[in-house]
Amino acid sequence: MEKIRSLLCLFLTAVVLLSACQKNDSSPQEETSSQKEEEQQKEEITLEPVEAFDSNSYTNAMMLEDYDFFWTTLEENCAALGALQEVAGVDLEQIKTEGREQVTALADGDATGFSSVISTIAQKMGGFAHIRPMKPDAYYRLMDGNMWESDTQQVIFSEDKVRAFYQWQSSLSPYKETLEESRQANEVSGEEETTSRAITENINLYRQGDTAVAMIKTFNFYGEEANDTVIEMLQDFCLKNLDVQDFIIDITRNSGGSTEIWADGFAPLFAGKTLSKQDVAAYKEGAVNVQMWGGTLDGIPDLELKALAELTTEEYPKLNLKSLEGCDGVAVRTITLDYTDEKNPGGEEFEGRIWLLVDGQVASSAEELAQFAKNSNFCTLVGKQTAGMSGWITKPAVNYYTLPNSGLLIRFDAFYFLNEDGTCHDLEGTYPDIEIESGETAMQRCLQEIKKLQK
């Protein structure tokens, strides 16, 4: 399990909160928990209090500077922007121009209006490549949990300017209510009632005959305690149902969260097996990327780097070469999750069929599960084409930068991930093995397929 954990730390996505690996016996679990707490205490940065961001001092000239920085930084670092324009047909110049006009019209001190313009731009991009401003609830998930993908990420989130901005924004409606609601819904308390409202609303585990079903609407829970509780629930359910012939994992409508929830939670099903995939991605070595990566990609081990010219339409027949303009190269990484040393009680391994139900809302860490399952010989994907937005070349999985005057954090995917045919993964996602037809659900089709095999 420790081997799995070390691999998982490399490709956590979106807002990923690391949690301790769950052990099958109590003694190692307590030791691991103690060691983890000591490590966290050592790594924790002592932060002095800051005064909240003063929106009244935020002039229109500052807003325009932040706005231009927002765009130039994306253009210099987000490799997949070219696909959004050249493949998806989104007119980025028009969006940029309209947004600047809206910012120009804002009065001095209207920081709320400025944030709204940035959010609207992200919505027009459809959440492509995880491009969006960081909202207070997402920001404090990481700050409160003190779980980071890299030291650089922690430093950026902990800057006085950034903390001041989110201290101010989290005091406003509806952010204040959303943040409080998220904290309360994910609170885990009491010895007998250990689950939170968020867990009970998003996870449904049951068995019907020789089929077990785990329905998980999200992998995004607030805080390490909630994550650990979810992982334990999934592990216990898997262990109790290793004897079933069919195990259905329903992640339809699941837009992601913590990779570790599914990777550790379903570990009993994967015991004795391996999951692997290869990611191929174009990249830009812009200043923000190099800062977040801790250097250029040629200094990162286990990466195969290629010249951009090596990407051809012969190898990738649906590749849009124009969308790659401005990229600096191509990185290739093979990722393997090795569960061969994972041991269930009594050495029992799951020998049945695993079915993964997907749809057009599956993205980020949920998409990672779909990718690994698609490349396995023991999982079958049923449903509709996924949304994509997942891949991993190096940590952190998602990059961030700060707007210079406000302190607002912007997140984005640095890489342009390619499917085997050359299409952009952030646009095409993953296709299921069995695609459902109009009028049927993924669950209905899966149960039909199971019935056929049981005859």
Side-chain angles (χ1 to χ4, degrees), residues 89-119:
V90 176
D91 192 337
L92 294 178
E93 286 302 318
Q94 181 179 347
I95 293 175
K96 184 197 301 188
T97 300
E98 291 175 349
R100 201 173 200 283
E101 290 174 353
Q102 292 168 359
V103 173
T104 301
L106 295 175
D108 290 345
D110 192 1
T112 301
F114 176 80
S115 297
S116 179
V117 171
I118 299 299
S119 294

Side-chain angles (χ1 to χ4, degrees), residues 23-94:
K23 302 293 183 177
N24 290 322
D25 55 321
S26 59
S27 176
Q29 179 181 345
E30 293 170 0
E31 181 182 351
T32 302
S33 177
S34 175
Q35 289 174 350
K36 185 180 63 177
E37 290 174 0
E38 291 177 4
E39 291 173 1
Q40 290 177 357
Q41 290 172 0
K42 290 178 182 178
E43 296 173 359
E44 186 174 356
I45 295 176
T46 302
L47 300 175
E48 298 295 331
V50 295
E51 292 186 9
F53 169 70
D54 181 7
S55 59
N56 292 325
S57 66
Y58 192 45
T59 66
N60 184 262
M62 291 177 176
M63 296 176 199
L64 288 170
E65 184 180 357
D66 277 359
Y67 184 79
D68 291 339
F69 188 83
F70 165 79
W71 276 104
T72 56
T73 304
L74 273 183
E75 291 163 352
E76 292 170 1
N77 293 273
C78 183
L81 269 187
L84 188 61
Q85 179 161 305
E86 301 298 333
V87 179
V90 176
D91 192 337
L92 294 178
E93 286 302 318
Q94 181 179 347

Side-chain angles (χ1 to χ4, degrees), residues 262-282:
W262 66 258
D264 277 1
F266 293 119
L269 294 183
F270 302 145
K273 304 175 176 65
T274 59
L275 293 167
S276 66
K277 65 168 183 166
Q278 184 182 76
D279 284 338
V280 179

Side-chain angles (χ1 to χ4, degrees), residues 288-363:
V288 169
N289 288 341
V290 172
Q291 176 194 17
M292 293 295 295
W293 300 335
T296 56
L297 291 181
D298 57 8
I300 297 175
D302 303 322
L303 281 185
E304 178 187 355
L305 299 183
K306 299 181 178 181
L308 198 63
E310 294 185 58
L311 288 183
T312 66
T313 53
E314 291 183 359
E315 184 177 5
Y316 299 97
K318 294 184 179 181
L319 179 64
N320 184 308
L321 293 173
K322 188 175 176 64
S323 69
L324 296 171
E325 290 180 0
C327 292
D328 295 318
V330 180
V332 181
R333 173 161 238 148
T334 299
I335 305 167
T336 300
L337 292 183
D338 189 350
Y339 291 87
T340 53
D341 293 333
E342 177 76 15
K343 301 297 181 184
N344 292 327
E348 186 178 4
E349 294 182 0
F350 180 69
E351 298 179 354
R353 296 179 287 259
I354 298 176
W355 305 81
L356 186 69
L357 310 188
V358 297
D359 65 5
Q361 295 182 51
V362 169

Side-chain angles (χ1 to χ4, degrees), residues 133-289:
M134 197 82 169
K135 298 296 177 64
D137 58 331
Y139 173 77
Y140 285 109
R141 282 175 192 267
L142 283 174
M143 291 296 287
D144 291 351
N146 191 33
M147 308 303 286
W148 307 99
E149 294 180 73
S150 70
D151 292 340
T152 304
Q153 184 190 59
Q154 183 180 13
V155 169
I156 291 174
F157 274 62
S158 302
E159 290 175 351
D160 289 351
K161 178 167 54 180
V162 173
R163 290 191 295 128
F165 178 83
Y166 285 98
Q167 184 175 318
W168 165 77
Q169 193 176 55
S170 65
S171 68
L172 307 176
S173 294
Y175 300 118
K176 181 178 181 180
E177 291 79 5
T178 301
L179 179 58
E180 184 61 26
E181 168 70 14
S182 183
R183 283 171 170 163
Q184 290 180 0
N186 285 274
E187 184 177 354
V188 178
S189 60
E191 293 183 3
E192 295 183 1
E193 186 178 349
T194 58
T195 58
S196 69
R197 177 160 54 87
I199 292 173
T200 57
E201 290 177 351
N202 289 291
I203 295 181
N204 186 17
L205 309 174
Y206 63 92
R207 175 170 176 164
Q208 289 184 341
D210 205 24
T211 301
V213 180
M215 303 177 69
I216 309 171
K217 296 179 182 178
T218 184
F219 294 127
N220 194 18
F221 297 92
Y222 193 112
E224 183 183 3
E225 192 171 11
N227 279 10
D228 286 346
T229 300
V230 173
I231 290 172
E232 185 174 359
M233 286 176 61
L234 293 178
Q235 287 184 340
D236 288 346
F237 182 72
C238 291
L239 290 171
K240 290 176 182 177
N241 292 280
L242 290 175
D243 62 317
V244 299
Q245 188 166 353
D246 296 279
F247 199 111
I248 301 174
I249 302 173
D250 185 352
I251 57 171
T252 55
R253 304 176 301 283
N254 189 323
S255 59
S258 170
T259 298
E260 213 166 53
I261 286 179
W262 66 258
D264 277 1
F266 293 119
L269 294 183
F270 302 145
K273 304 175 176 65
T274 59
L275 293 167
S276 66
K277 65 168 183 166
Q278 184 182 76
D279 284 338
V280 179
Y283 63 87
K284 293 182 177 181
E285 288 194 331
V288 169
N289 288 341

